[in-house]
Amino acid sequence: MAEVLEVYPLVLRAGRWWFPFGREATAEAIAAVWRSDCQVVFLGPNGGSFAYDVDEAGQEMVRLDYGAWAPLEGTRLSPWQNEALGLVLAAVEEL
Protein backbone atom coordinates (compact mmCIF):
# COMPACT_ATOMS: atom_id res chain seq x y z
CA MET A 1 0.00 0.00 0.00
CA ALA A 2 2.97 2.33 0.31
CA GLU A 3 3.67 2.07 -3.40
CA VAL A 4 2.30 4.82 -5.63
CA LEU A 5 0.00 3.32 -8.25
CA GLU A 6 -2.02 4.73 -11.09
CA VAL A 7 -5.54 5.21 -9.74
CA TYR A 8 -8.80 4.94 -11.66
CA PRO A 9 -11.74 6.79 -10.05
CA LEU A 10 -14.94 4.81 -10.46
CA VAL A 11 -18.26 6.65 -10.44
CA LEU A 12 -21.78 5.34 -9.88
CA ARG A 13 -24.20 6.10 -12.71
CA ALA A 14 -27.57 4.46 -13.34
CA GLY A 15 -26.89 1.93 -10.59
CA ARG A 16 -23.58 0.70 -12.07
CA TRP A 17 -19.93 1.61 -11.56
CA TRP A 18 -17.96 3.12 -14.47
CA PHE A 19 -14.31 3.82 -15.28
CA PRO A 20 -13.43 7.40 -16.33
CA PHE A 21 -12.91 6.24 -19.93
CA GLY A 22 -16.50 4.95 -20.21
CA ARG A 23 -16.09 1.20 -19.63
CA GLU A 24 -18.34 -0.44 -17.06
CA ALA A 25 -16.42 -1.45 -13.93
CA THR A 26 -17.27 -5.15 -13.79
CA ALA A 27 -15.46 -7.60 -11.52
CA GLU A 28 -13.45 -8.80 -14.52
CA ALA A 29 -12.44 -5.25 -15.51
CA ILE A 30 -11.37 -4.37 -11.96
CA ALA A 31 -9.31 -7.57 -11.73
CA ALA A 32 -7.59 -6.64 -15.01
CA VAL A 33 -6.71 -3.20 -13.60
CA TRP A 34 -5.22 -4.79 -10.51
CA ARG A 35 -3.21 -7.23 -12.63
CA SER A 36 -1.60 -4.24 -14.34
CA ASP A 37 -0.55 -2.80 -10.95
CA CYS A 38 -3.16 -0.07 -10.86
CA GLN A 39 -5.75 0.76 -8.20
CA VAL A 40 -9.39 1.80 -8.22
CA VAL A 41 -11.19 4.23 -5.92
CA PHE A 42 -14.97 4.27 -5.78
CA LEU A 43 -16.35 7.81 -5.60
CA GLY A 44 -19.60 8.04 -3.68
CA PRO A 45 -22.79 9.42 -5.19
CA ASN A 46 -22.93 12.19 -2.56
CA GLY A 47 -19.21 12.62 -1.97
CA GLY A 48 -16.75 10.42 -0.16
CA SER A 49 -14.67 7.53 -1.39
CA PHE A 50 -13.94 3.86 -0.85
CA ALA A 51 -10.69 2.04 -1.62
CA TYR A 52 -9.65 -1.55 -0.89
CA ASP A 53 -6.27 -3.24 -0.60
CA VAL A 54 -4.55 -6.14 1.11
CA ASP A 55 -1.48 -5.32 3.19
CA GLU A 56 1.80 -7.23 3.29
CA ALA A 57 0.48 -9.44 6.12
CA GLY A 58 -2.58 -10.40 4.06
CA GLN A 59 -5.02 -8.26 6.05
CA GLU A 60 -7.87 -6.66 4.12
CA MET A 61 -7.73 -2.88 4.44
CA VAL A 62 -10.07 -0.07 3.40
CA ARG A 63 -9.68 3.67 3.06
CA LEU A 64 -12.85 5.68 3.49
CA ASP A 65 -13.31 9.28 2.45
CA TYR A 66 -9.61 9.76 1.62
CA GLY A 67 -8.65 8.98 5.22
CA ALA A 68 -6.08 6.56 6.58
CA TRP A 69 -6.05 2.86 5.74
CA ALA A 70 -7.90 0.77 8.36
CA PRO A 71 -8.69 -2.94 8.73
CA LEU A 72 -11.87 -3.93 6.89
CA GLU A 73 -13.00 -6.01 9.84
CA GLY A 74 -14.92 -3.78 12.20
CA THR A 75 -15.18 -0.84 9.77
CA ARG A 76 -18.70 0.51 9.29
CA LEU A 77 -19.60 0.98 5.65
CA SER A 78 -22.41 3.00 4.11
CA PRO A 79 -24.83 1.22 1.74
CA TRP A 80 -22.97 2.38 -1.39
CA GLN A 81 -19.63 1.36 0.17
CA ASN A 82 -21.06 -2.10 0.91
CA GLU A 83 -22.11 -2.30 -2.74
CA ALA A 84 -18.58 -1.34 -3.82
CA LEU A 85 -17.12 -3.93 -1.45
CA GLY A 86 -19.29 -6.61 -3.06
CA LEU A 87 -17.89 -5.70 -6.47
CA VAL A 88 -14.35 -5.68 -5.06
CA LEU A 89 -14.76 -9.14 -3.53
CA ALA A 90 -16.10 -10.44 -6.86
CA ALA A 91 -13.00 -8.97 -8.54
CA VAL A 92 -10.77 -10.75 -6.00
CA GLU A 93 -12.40 -14.01 -7.08
CA GLU A 94 -11.38 -13.22 -10.68
CA LEU A 95 -7.69 -12.93 -9.77
Side-chain angles (χ1 to χ4, degrees):
M1 290 183 317
E3 185 179 339
V4 176
L5 301 175
E6 183 174 358
V7 177
Y8 290 97
L10 305 182
V11 294
L12 187 62
R13 284 194 314 262
R16 300 191 321 215
W17 293 97
W18 299 88
F19 283 98
F21 47 84
R23 181 176 179 192
E24 184 177 356
T26 63
E28 297 83 12
I30 292 171
V33 165
W34 285 342
R35 281 188 209 103
S36 54
D37 289 332
C38 297
Q39 184 58 281
V40 297
V41 173
F42 294 81
L43 302 179
N46 297 315
S49 68
F50 173 86
Y52 172 93
D53 204 349
V54 177
D55 69 12
E56 295 80 20
Q59 183 176 21
E60 293 178 302
M61 305 291 286
V62 292
R63 188 175 67 196
L64 305 180
D65 302 330
Y66 309 104
W69 287 98
L72 172 60
E73 185 176 332
T75 299
R76 295 184 61 148
L77 302 176
S78 69
W80 74 263
Q81 290 166 335
N82 272 315
E83 180 183 324
L85 177 62
L87 184 55
V88 161
L89 296 178
V92 168
E93 293 295 319
E94 294 291 323
L95 293 174

Coordinates of all heavy atoms in Angstrom, one line a residue:
M1 N 0.8 -1.2 0.0 CA 0.0 0.0 0.0 C 0.8 1.3 0.0 O 0.4 2.3 -0.3 CB -0.9 0.0 1.2 CG -2.0 -1.0 1.1 SD -3.2 -1.0 2.5 CE -2.2 -0.8 3.9
A2 N 2.1 1.2 0.3 CA 3.0 2.3 0.3 C 3.4 2.7 -1.1 O 3.8 3.9 -1.3 CB 4.2 2.1 1.2
E3 N 3.3 1.8 -2.0 CA 3.7 2.1 -3.4 C 2.7 3.0 -4.1 O 1.5 2.9 -3.9 CB 3.7 0.7 -4.1 CG 4.2 0.8 -5.5 CD 4.3 -0.6 -6.1 OE1 4.3 -1.6 -5.4 OE2 4.2 -0.7 -7.4
V4 N 3.2 3.9 -4.9 CA 2.3 4.8 -5.6 C 1.9 4.1 -6.9 O 2.7 3.7 -7.7 CB 3.0 6.2 -6.0 CG1 2.1 7.0 -6.8 CG2 3.4 6.9 -4.7
L5 N 0.6 4.0 -7.1 CA 0.0 3.3 -8.2 C -0.9 4.3 -9.0 O -1.4 5.3 -8.5 CB -0.9 2.1 -7.8 CG -0.2 1.1 -7.0 CD1 -1.3 0.1 -6.5 CD2 0.9 0.4 -7.7
E6 N -1.0 4.0 -10.3 CA -2.0 4.7 -11.1 C -3.4 4.4 -10.5 O -3.7 3.2 -10.3 CB -1.9 4.3 -12.6 CG -2.9 5.1 -13.4 CD -2.7 4.9 -14.9 OE1 -1.8 4.1 -15.3 OE2 -3.4 5.4 -15.7
V7 N -4.2 5.4 -10.4 CA -5.5 5.2 -9.7 C -6.6 5.6 -10.7 O -6.6 6.6 -11.4 CB -5.7 6.1 -8.5 CG1 -7.1 6.0 -7.9 CG2 -4.6 5.7 -7.5
Y8 N -7.6 4.7 -10.8 CA -8.8 4.9 -11.7 C -10.0 5.3 -10.7 O -10.4 4.4 -9.9 CB -9.1 3.7 -12.5 CG -8.1 3.4 -13.6 CD1 -7.1 2.5 -13.4 CD2 -8.2 4.1 -14.8 CE1 -6.2 2.3 -14.4 CE2 -7.3 3.9 -15.8 CZ -6.3 3.0 -15.6 OH -5.4 2.7 -16.6
P9 N -10.6 6.5 -10.9 CA -11.7 6.8 -10.0 C -13.0 6.2 -10.7 O -13.3 6.5 -11.8 CB -11.7 8.3 -10.0 CG -11.1 8.7 -11.4 CD -10.1 7.6 -11.6
L10 N -13.7 5.4 -10.0 CA -14.9 4.8 -10.5 C -16.1 5.6 -10.0 O -16.2 6.0 -8.8 CB -15.1 3.4 -10.0 CG -13.9 2.4 -10.3 CD1 -14.2 1.0 -9.9 CD2 -13.6 2.4 -11.8
V11 N -17.1 5.9 -10.8 CA -18.3 6.6 -10.4 C -19.5 5.8 -10.6 O -19.6 4.9 -11.5 CB -18.4 8.0 -11.2 CG1 -17.2 8.9 -10.9 CG2 -18.4 7.7 -12.7
L12 N -20.5 6.1 -9.8 CA -21.8 5.3 -9.9 C -22.8 6.1 -10.7 O -23.1 7.3 -10.5 CB -22.3 5.2 -8.5 CG -23.6 4.3 -8.3 CD1 -23.3 2.9 -8.7 CD2 -24.0 4.4 -6.8
R13 N -23.2 5.5 -11.8 CA -24.2 6.1 -12.7 C -25.2 5.0 -13.1 O -24.8 3.9 -13.5 CB -23.6 6.6 -14.0 CG -22.8 7.9 -13.8 CD -22.5 8.6 -15.1 NE -21.9 7.7 -16.1 CZ -20.6 7.5 -16.4 NH1 -19.7 8.2 -15.8 NH2 -20.3 6.7 -17.4
A14 N -26.5 5.4 -13.0 CA -27.6 4.5 -13.3 C -27.4 3.1 -12.6 O -27.7 2.1 -13.2 CB -27.6 4.3 -14.9
G15 N -27.0 3.1 -11.4 CA -26.9 1.9 -10.6 C -25.7 1.0 -10.9 O -25.6 -0.1 -10.4
R16 N -24.8 1.5 -11.7 CA -23.6 0.7 -12.1 C -22.3 1.6 -11.9 O -22.4 2.8 -12.1 CB -23.7 0.1 -13.5 CG -24.9 -0.8 -13.6 CD -25.0 -1.6 -14.8 NE -24.6 -1.0 -16.1 CZ -25.2 -1.2 -17.2 NH1 -26.2 -2.0 -17.3 NH2 -24.8 -0.6 -18.3
W17 N -21.2 0.9 -11.7 CA -19.9 1.6 -11.6 C -19.2 1.7 -12.9 O -19.2 0.7 -13.7 CB -19.0 0.9 -10.6 CG -19.6 0.9 -9.2 CD1 -20.3 0.0 -8.5 CD2 -19.5 2.0 -8.3 NE1 -20.7 0.4 -7.3 CE2 -20.2 1.6 -7.1 CE3 -18.8 3.3 -8.3 CZ2 -20.2 2.5 -6.0 CZ3 -18.9 4.1 -7.2 CH2 -19.6 3.7 -6.1
W18 N -18.6 2.9 -13.2 CA -18.0 3.1 -14.5 C -16.6 3.7 -14.3 O -16.3 4.5 -13.4 CB -18.8 4.1 -15.2 CG -20.2 3.7 -15.5 CD1 -21.3 3.8 -14.7 CD2 -20.6 2.9 -16.7 NE1 -22.3 3.2 -15.3 CE2 -22.0 2.6 -16.5 CE3 -19.9 2.5 -17.8 CZ2 -22.7 1.9 -17.4 CZ3 -20.7 1.7 -18.8 CH2 -22.0 1.5 -18.6
F19 N -15.6 3.3 -15.2 CA -14.3 3.8 -15.3 C -14.4 5.2 -15.9 O -15.4 5.5 -16.7 CB -13.4 2.9 -16.1 CG -12.9 1.7 -15.4 CD1 -13.6 0.5 -15.6 CD2 -11.8 1.8 -14.6 CE1 -13.1 -0.7 -15.0 CE2 -11.4 0.6 -13.9 CZ -12.0 -0.6 -14.1
P20 N -13.4 6.1 -15.7 CA -13.4 7.4 -16.3 C -13.4 7.4 -17.9 O -13.9 8.3 -18.5 CB -12.2 8.1 -15.8 CG -11.3 7.0 -15.2 CD -12.2 5.8 -14.9
F21 N -13.0 6.3 -18.5 CA -12.9 6.2 -19.9 C -14.2 5.6 -20.5 O -14.2 5.3 -21.7 CB -11.6 5.5 -20.4 CG -11.3 4.2 -19.7 CD1 -11.9 3.0 -20.1 CD2 -10.4 4.2 -18.6 CE1 -11.6 1.9 -19.4 CE2 -10.2 3.1 -17.9 CZ -10.8 1.9 -18.3
G22 N -15.2 5.4 -19.7 CA -16.5 5.0 -20.2 C -16.8 3.5 -20.1 O -17.9 3.1 -20.5
R23 N -15.9 2.6 -19.7 CA -16.1 1.2 -19.6 C -16.7 0.9 -18.3 O -16.4 1.4 -17.2 CB -14.8 0.5 -19.7 CG -14.9 -1.0 -19.7 CD -13.6 -1.7 -19.9 NE -13.7 -3.2 -19.8 CZ -12.7 -4.0 -19.7 NH1 -11.5 -3.6 -19.8 NH2 -13.0 -5.3 -19.6
E24 N -17.7 0.0 -18.3 CA -18.3 -0.4 -17.1 C -17.3 -1.2 -16.2 O -16.5 -2.0 -16.6 CB -19.5 -1.4 -17.3 CG -20.3 -1.7 -16.0 CD -21.5 -2.6 -16.2 OE1 -21.9 -2.8 -17.4 OE2 -22.1 -3.0 -15.2
A25 N -17.4 -0.9 -14.9 CA -16.4 -1.5 -13.9 C -17.0 -2.8 -13.4 O -17.5 -2.8 -12.3 CB -16.1 -0.5 -12.8
T26 N -16.9 -3.8 -14.2 CA -17.3 -5.2 -13.8 C -16.2 -5.8 -12.9 O -15.0 -5.3 -12.9 CB -17.5 -6.0 -15.0 OG1 -16.3 -6.2 -15.7 CG2 -18.6 -5.5 -15.9
A27 N -16.5 -6.9 -12.3 CA -15.5 -7.6 -11.5 C -14.3 -8.0 -12.4 O -13.1 -7.8 -12.0 CB -16.1 -8.8 -10.9
E28 N -14.5 -8.4 -13.6 CA -13.5 -8.8 -14.5 C -12.6 -7.6 -14.9 O -11.4 -7.7 -14.9 CB -14.0 -9.4 -15.8 CG -14.8 -10.7 -15.6 CD -16.3 -10.5 -15.2 OE1 -16.8 -9.3 -15.3 OE2 -16.9 -11.5 -14.7
A29 N -13.2 -6.5 -15.1 CA -12.4 -5.3 -15.5 C -11.6 -4.8 -14.3 O -10.5 -4.3 -14.5 CB -13.4 -4.2 -16.0
I30 N -12.1 -4.8 -13.1 CA -11.4 -4.4 -12.0 C -10.2 -5.3 -11.7 O -9.1 -4.9 -11.5 CB -12.3 -4.3 -10.7 CG1 -13.3 -3.1 -10.9 CG2 -11.4 -4.1 -9.4 CD1 -14.3 -3.1 -9.8
A31 N -10.4 -6.6 -11.9 CA -9.3 -7.6 -11.7 C -8.2 -7.3 -12.8 O -7.0 -7.4 -12.4 CB -9.8 -9.0 -11.9
A32 N -8.6 -7.0 -14.0 CA -7.6 -6.6 -15.0 C -6.8 -5.4 -14.6 O -5.6 -5.4 -14.9 CB -8.3 -6.4 -16.4
V33 N -7.4 -4.4 -14.1 CA -6.7 -3.2 -13.6 C -5.7 -3.6 -12.5 O -4.6 -3.1 -12.5 CB -7.7 -2.1 -13.1 CG1 -7.0 -1.0 -12.3 CG2 -8.5 -1.5 -14.3
W34 N -6.1 -4.4 -11.6 CA -5.2 -4.8 -10.5 C -4.0 -5.6 -11.1 O -2.9 -5.5 -10.6 CB -6.0 -5.6 -9.5 CG -6.8 -4.8 -8.6 CD1 -6.8 -3.4 -8.4 CD2 -7.9 -5.2 -7.8 NE1 -7.7 -3.0 -7.5 CE2 -8.5 -4.1 -7.1 CE3 -8.5 -6.5 -7.5 CZ2 -9.5 -4.2 -6.2 CZ3 -9.5 -6.6 -6.7 CH2 -10.0 -5.5 -6.0
R35 N -4.3 -6.4 -12.0 CA -3.2 -7.2 -12.6 C -2.2 -6.3 -13.3 O -1.0 -6.7 -13.4 CB -3.8 -8.2 -13.7 CG -4.4 -9.4 -13.0 CD -4.7 -10.5 -14.1 NE -5.9 -11.2 -13.7 CZ -7.1 -11.1 -14.1 NH1 -7.4 -10.2 -15.0 NH2 -8.1 -11.8 -13.6
S36 N -2.6 -5.2 -13.7 CA -1.6 -4.2 -14.3 C -1.1 -3.2 -13.3 O -0.6 -2.1 -13.7 CB -2.2 -3.5 -15.6 OG -3.4 -2.9 -15.2
D37 N -1.1 -3.6 -12.0 CA -0.5 -2.8 -10.9 C -1.1 -1.4 -10.9 O -0.4 -0.4 -10.7 CB 1.0 -2.7 -11.0 CG 1.6 -4.0 -10.7 OD1 1.0 -4.8 -9.9 OD2 2.7 -4.3 -11.2
C38 N -2.4 -1.3 -11.0 CA -3.2 -0.1 -10.9 C -4.2 -0.3 -9.7 O -4.4 -1.4 -9.3 CB -3.9 0.3 -12.1 SG -2.7 0.7 -13.5
Q39 N -4.8 0.8 -9.3 CA -5.7 0.8 -8.2 C -7.0 1.4 -8.6 O -7.0 2.2 -9.6 CB -5.2 1.5 -7.0 CG -6.0 1.4 -5.7 CD -6.4 0.0 -5.2 OE1 -7.3 -0.6 -5.8 NE2 -5.7 -0.4 -4.2
V40 N -8.1 1.1 -8.0 CA -9.4 1.8 -8.2 C -9.9 2.4 -6.9 O -9.6 1.9 -5.8 CB -10.5 0.8 -8.8 CG1 -10.1 0.3 -10.1 CG2 -10.8 -0.3 -7.8
V41 N -10.5 3.6 -7.0 CA -11.2 4.2 -5.9 C -12.6 4.5 -6.3 O -12.9 5.1 -7.4 CB -10.5 5.5 -5.6 CG1 -11.3 6.3 -4.5 CG2 -9.1 5.3 -5.1
F42 N -13.5 4.0 -5.5 CA -15.0 4.3 -5.8 C -15.3 5.6 -5.2 O -15.1 5.9 -4.0 CB -15.8 3.2 -5.1 CG -15.6 1.8 -5.7 CD1 -14.5 1.1 -5.3 CD2 -16.5 1.3 -6.6 CE1 -14.3 -0.2 -5.8 CE2 -16.3 0.0 -7.1 CZ -15.2 -0.7 -6.7
L43 N -15.9 6.5 -6.0 CA -16.3 7.8 -5.6 C -17.8 7.8 -5.3 O -18.6 7.4 -6.2 CB -16.0 8.8 -6.7 CG -14.6 8.9 -7.1 CD1 -14.4 10.0 -8.1 CD2 -13.7 9.2 -5.9
G44 N -18.2 8.1 -4.1 CA -19.6 8.0 -3.7 C -20.5 9.0 -4.4 O -20.1 10.0 -4.9
P45 N -21.8 8.6 -4.5 CA -22.8 9.4 -5.2 C -23.0 10.8 -4.6 O -23.4 11.7 -5.2 CB -24.1 8.6 -5.2 CG -23.9 7.6 -4.0 CD -22.4 7.4 -3.9
N46 N -22.8 10.9 -3.3 CA -22.9 12.2 -2.6 C -21.6 12.6 -1.9 O -21.6 13.3 -0.9 CB -24.0 12.1 -1.5 CG -25.4 11.8 -2.1 OD1 -25.7 12.4 -3.1 ND2 -26.1 10.8 -1.6
G47 N -20.5 12.3 -2.5 CA -19.2 12.6 -2.0 C -18.6 11.4 -1.3 O -19.3 10.4 -1.1
G48 N -17.4 11.5 -0.8 CA -16.7 10.4 -0.2 C -16.1 9.4 -1.1 O -16.3 9.5 -2.3
S49 N -15.4 8.5 -0.6 CA -14.7 7.5 -1.4 C -14.5 6.2 -0.6 O -14.7 6.2 0.6 CB -13.3 8.1 -1.8 OG -12.5 8.1 -0.7
F50 N -14.2 5.2 -1.4 CA -13.9 3.9 -0.8 C -12.8 3.2 -1.7 O -12.9 3.2 -2.9 CB -15.2 3.0 -1.0 CG -15.0 1.6 -0.6 CD1 -15.1 1.1 0.7 CD2 -14.7 0.6 -1.5 CE1 -14.9 -0.2 1.1 CE2 -14.5 -0.7 -1.2 CZ -14.6 -1.1 0.1
A51 N -11.8 2.8 -1.0 CA -10.7 2.0 -1.6 C -10.4 0.8 -0.8 O -10.6 0.7 0.4 CB -9.4 2.9 -1.7
Y52 N -9.9 -0.2 -1.5 CA -9.6 -1.6 -0.9 C -8.3 -2.0 -1.3 O -7.8 -1.8 -2.4 CB -10.7 -2.6 -1.4 CG -10.4 -4.0 -1.0 CD1 -11.0 -4.5 0.1 CD2 -9.6 -4.8 -1.8 CE1 -10.8 -5.9 0.5 CE2 -9.4 -6.1 -1.5 CZ -10.0 -6.7 -0.3 OH -9.8 -8.0 0.0
D53 N -7.6 -2.7 -0.3 CA -6.3 -3.2 -0.6 C -6.0 -4.3 0.4 O -6.8 -4.5 1.4 CB -5.2 -2.2 -0.5 CG -3.9 -2.5 -1.3 OD1 -3.8 -3.7 -1.8 OD2 -3.1 -1.6 -1.5
V54 N -5.0 -5.1 0.2 CA -4.6 -6.1 1.1 C -3.1 -5.8 1.5 O -2.3 -5.6 0.6 CB -4.6 -7.5 0.5 CG1 -4.1 -8.6 1.4 CG2 -6.1 -7.9 0.1
D55 N -2.8 -5.7 2.8 CA -1.5 -5.3 3.2 C -0.5 -6.5 3.1 O -0.9 -7.6 2.7 CB -1.5 -4.7 4.6 CG -1.8 -5.6 5.7 OD1 -1.8 -6.9 5.5 OD2 -2.0 -5.2 6.8
E56 N 0.7 -6.2 3.4 CA 1.8 -7.2 3.3 C 1.5 -8.5 4.1 O 2.0 -9.6 3.8 CB 3.2 -6.6 3.7 CG 3.6 -5.5 2.7 CD 3.0 -4.2 3.0 OE1 2.4 -4.0 4.2 OE2 2.9 -3.3 2.1
A57 N 0.8 -8.3 5.2 CA 0.5 -9.4 6.1 C -0.8 -10.2 5.7 O -1.2 -11.1 6.3 CB 0.3 -8.9 7.5
G58 N -1.4 -9.7 4.6 CA -2.6 -10.4 4.1 C -3.9 -9.9 4.7 O -4.9 -10.5 4.4
Q59 N -3.8 -8.8 5.4 CA -5.0 -8.3 6.1 C -5.8 -7.3 5.1 O -5.1 -6.5 4.4 CB -4.7 -7.5 7.3 CG -5.8 -6.9 8.1 CD -5.5 -6.3 9.4 OE1 -4.3 -5.8 9.5 NE2 -6.4 -6.2 10.2
E60 N -7.1 -7.5 5.0 CA -7.9 -6.7 4.1 C -8.0 -5.3 4.8 O -8.3 -5.2 5.9 CB -9.3 -7.2 3.9 CG -9.3 -8.5 3.1 CD -10.7 -9.1 3.0 OE1 -11.3 -9.3 4.0 OE2 -11.1 -9.3 1.9
M61 N -7.7 -4.3 4.0 CA -7.7 -2.9 4.4 C -8.6 -2.0 3.6 O -8.8 -2.3 2.4 CB -6.3 -2.3 4.4 CG -5.3 -3.1 5.1 SD -5.5 -3.1 6.9 CE -4.9 -1.4 7.3
V62 N -9.3 -1.0 4.2 CA -10.1 -0.1 3.4 C -9.7 1.3 3.8 O -9.1 1.6 4.8 CB -11.6 -0.3 3.7 CG1 -12.1 -1.6 3.1 CG2 -11.9 -0.2 5.1
R63 N -9.9 2.2 2.8 CA -9.7 3.7 3.1 C -11.0 4.4 2.7 O -11.4 4.3 1.6 CB -8.5 4.2 2.2 CG -8.1 5.6 2.6 CD -6.9 6.1 1.8 NE -7.3 6.1 0.4 CZ -6.4 6.2 -0.6 NH1 -5.1 6.2 -0.3 NH2 -6.8 6.2 -1.8
L64 N -11.6 5.0 3.7 CA -12.9 5.7 3.5 C -12.7 7.2 3.5 O -11.9 7.7 4.3 CB -13.8 5.3 4.6 CG -14.1 3.8 4.8 CD1 -15.1 3.6 6.0 CD2 -14.6 3.2 3.6
D65 N -13.3 7.8 2.5 CA -13.3 9.3 2.4 C -11.9 9.9 2.5 O -11.7 10.9 3.2 CB -14.2 9.9 3.6 CG -15.6 9.3 3.5 OD1 -16.1 9.0 2.3 OD2 -16.3 9.2 4.5
Y66 N -11.0 9.3 1.8 CA -9.6 9.8 1.6 C -8.9 9.8 2.9 O -7.8 10.5 3.1 CB -9.6 11.1 1.0 CG -10.4 11.2 -0.3 CD1 -11.7 11.8 -0.3 CD2 -9.9 10.6 -1.5 CE1 -12.4 11.8 -1.5 CE2 -10.7 10.6 -2.6 CZ -11.9 11.2 -2.6 OH -12.7 11.3 -3.8
G67 N -9.3 9.0 3.9 CA -8.6 9.0 5.2 C -7.5 8.0 5.2 O -7.0 7.6 4.2
A68 N -7.2 7.5 6.4 CA -6.1 6.6 6.6 C -6.6 5.2 6.3 O -7.8 4.9 6.4 CB -5.6 6.6 8.0
W69 N -5.7 4.3 5.9 CA -6.1 2.9 5.7 C -6.4 2.3 7.1 O -5.7 2.5 8.1 CB -4.9 2.1 5.1 CG -4.7 2.4 3.7 CD1 -3.8 3.3 3.2 CD2 -5.4 1.9 2.6 NE1 -3.9 3.4 1.8 CE2 -4.9 2.5 1.4 CE3 -6.5 1.0 2.4 CZ2 -5.4 2.2 0.1 CZ3 -6.9 0.7 1.1 CH2 -6.4 1.3 0.0
A70 N -7.4 1.4 7.1 CA -7.9 0.8 8.4 C -8.3 -0.7 8.0 O -8.7 -0.9 6.9 CB -9.1 1.5 9.0
P71 N -8.2 -1.6 9.0 CA -8.7 -2.9 8.7 C -10.2 -3.0 8.3 O -11.0 -2.3 8.9 CB -8.5 -3.7 10.1 CG -7.5 -2.8 10.8 CD -7.7 -1.4 10.3
L72 N -10.5 -3.8 7.3 CA -11.9 -3.9 6.9 C -12.7 -4.4 8.0 O -13.8 -3.9 8.3 CB -11.9 -4.9 5.7 CG -13.3 -5.3 5.2 CD1 -14.1 -4.0 4.8 CD2 -13.3 -6.3 4.1
E73 N -12.2 -5.4 8.7 CA -13.0 -6.0 9.8 C -13.3 -4.9 10.9 O -12.4 -4.2 11.4 CB -12.2 -7.2 10.5 CG -13.0 -7.9 11.5 CD -12.3 -9.1 12.1 OE1 -11.5 -9.7 11.4 OE2 -12.5 -9.4 13.3
G74 N -14.5 -4.8 11.2 CA -14.9 -3.8 12.2 C -15.2 -2.4 11.7 O -15.6 -1.5 12.4
T75 N -14.9 -2.2 10.4 CA -15.2 -0.8 9.8 C -16.6 -0.8 9.3 O -17.1 -1.7 8.6 CB -14.2 -0.6 8.6 OG1 -12.9 -0.6 9.0 CG2 -14.5 0.7 7.9
R76 N -17.3 0.3 9.7 CA -18.7 0.5 9.3 C -18.7 1.1 7.9 O -18.1 2.1 7.7 CB -19.4 1.4 10.3 CG -19.5 0.8 11.7 CD -20.3 1.6 12.6 NE -21.6 1.8 12.0 CZ -22.7 1.9 12.7 NH1 -22.7 2.0 14.0 NH2 -23.9 2.1 12.1
L77 N -19.5 0.5 7.0 CA -19.6 1.0 5.6 C -21.0 1.5 5.4 O -22.0 0.9 5.9 CB -19.3 -0.1 4.7 CG -17.9 -0.8 4.8 CD1 -17.8 -2.0 3.8 CD2 -16.8 0.2 4.6
S78 N -21.1 2.5 4.5 CA -22.4 3.0 4.1 C -23.0 2.0 3.1 O -22.3 1.1 2.6 CB -22.3 4.4 3.5 OG -21.6 4.3 2.2
P79 N -24.3 2.1 2.7 CA -24.8 1.2 1.7 C -24.1 1.2 0.4 O -23.8 0.1 -0.1 CB -26.3 1.7 1.6 CG -26.6 2.3 2.9 CD -25.3 3.0 3.3
W80 N -23.7 2.4 -0.1 CA -23.0 2.4 -1.4 C -21.6 1.8 -1.2 O -21.1 1.1 -2.1 CB -22.9 3.8 -2.0 CG -22.0 4.8 -1.4 CD1 -22.3 5.7 -0.5 CD2 -20.6 4.9 -1.7 NE1 -21.2 6.4 -0.2 CE2 -20.1 5.9 -0.9 CE3 -19.7 4.2 -2.5 CZ2 -18.8 6.3 -0.9 CZ3 -18.4 4.6 -2.5 CH2 -17.9 5.7 -1.7
Q81 N -20.9 2.0 -0.1 CA -19.6 1.4 0.2 C -19.7 -0.2 0.3 O -18.9 -0.9 -0.2 CB -19.0 2.0 1.4 CG -18.6 3.4 1.2 CD -18.2 4.1 2.5 OE1 -18.7 3.7 3.6 NE2 -17.4 5.1 2.4
N82 N -20.8 -0.7 0.9 CA -21.1 -2.1 0.9 C -21.2 -2.6 -0.5 O -20.8 -3.7 -0.8 CB -22.3 -2.4 1.8 CG -21.9 -2.6 3.2 OD1 -20.9 -3.3 3.5 ND2 -22.7 -2.0 4.1
E83 N -21.9 -1.9 -1.3 CA -22.1 -2.3 -2.7 C -20.8 -2.4 -3.4 O -20.5 -3.3 -4.2 CB -23.0 -1.3 -3.5 CG -23.3 -1.7 -4.9 CD -24.1 -0.6 -5.6 OE1 -25.0 -0.1 -5.0 OE2 -23.9 -0.4 -6.8
A84 N -19.9 -1.4 -3.2 CA -18.6 -1.3 -3.8 C -17.8 -2.5 -3.3 O -17.1 -3.2 -4.1 CB -17.9 0.0 -3.5
L85 N -17.9 -2.8 -2.0 CA -17.1 -3.9 -1.4 C -17.5 -5.2 -2.1 O -16.7 -6.1 -2.4 CB -17.3 -4.0 0.1 CG -16.6 -5.2 0.8 CD1 -15.1 -5.2 0.6 CD2 -17.0 -5.2 2.2
G86 N -18.8 -5.4 -2.4 CA -19.3 -6.6 -3.1 C -18.7 -6.8 -4.4 O -18.2 -7.9 -4.8
L87 N -18.5 -5.7 -5.2 CA -17.9 -5.7 -6.5 C -16.4 -6.0 -6.3 O -15.8 -6.8 -7.1 CB -18.1 -4.4 -7.2 CG -17.6 -4.3 -8.6 CD1 -18.1 -5.4 -9.5 CD2 -17.9 -2.9 -9.2
V88 N -15.8 -5.4 -5.3 CA -14.3 -5.7 -5.1 C -14.1 -7.2 -4.7 O -13.2 -7.8 -5.3 CB -13.8 -4.8 -3.9 CG1 -12.6 -5.3 -3.3 CG2 -13.7 -3.4 -4.4
L89 N -14.9 -7.7 -3.9 CA -14.8 -9.1 -3.5 C -15.0 -10.1 -4.7 O -14.3 -11.1 -4.9 CB -15.7 -9.5 -2.4 CG -15.3 -8.8 -1.0 CD1 -16.3 -9.2 0.0 CD2 -13.9 -9.0 -0.6
A90 N -15.9 -9.7 -5.6 CA -16.1 -10.4 -6.9 C -14.9 -10.3 -7.7 O -14.5 -11.3 -8.4 CB -17.3 -9.9 -7.6
A91 N -14.2 -9.1 -7.8 CA -13.0 -9.0 -8.5 C -11.9 -9.8 -8.0 O -11.1 -10.4 -8.7 CB -12.6 -7.5 -8.6
V92 N -11.8 -9.9 -6.6 CA -10.8 -10.7 -6.0 C -10.9 -12.2 -6.5 O -9.9 -12.9 -6.7 CB -10.9 -10.6 -4.5 CG1 -10.0 -11.7 -3.8 CG2 -10.4 -9.2 -4.0
E93 N -12.1 -12.6 -6.6 CA -12.4 -14.0 -7.1 C -11.9 -14.2 -8.5 O -11.6 -15.3 -8.9 CB -13.9 -14.3 -7.0 CG -14.4 -14.4 -5.6 CD -13.8 -15.6 -4.8 OE1 -13.6 -16.7 -5.4 OE2 -13.5 -15.4 -3.6
E94 N -11.8 -13.1 -9.3 CA -11.4 -13.2 -10.7 C -9.9 -13.3 -10.8 O -9.3 -13.7 -11.8 CB -11.8 -12.0 -11.5 CG -13.3 -11.9 -11.7 CD -13.9 -13.0 -12.6 OE1 -13.2 -13.3 -13.6 OE2 -15.0 -13.4 -12.4
L95 N -9.2 -12.9 -9.7 CA -7.7 -12.9 -9.8 C -7.1 -14.3 -9.7 O -7.6 -15.3 -9.3 CB -7.1 -12.1 -8.6 CG -7.4 -10.6 -8.7 CD1 -6.9 -9.9 -7.4 CD2 -6.7 -10.0 -9.9

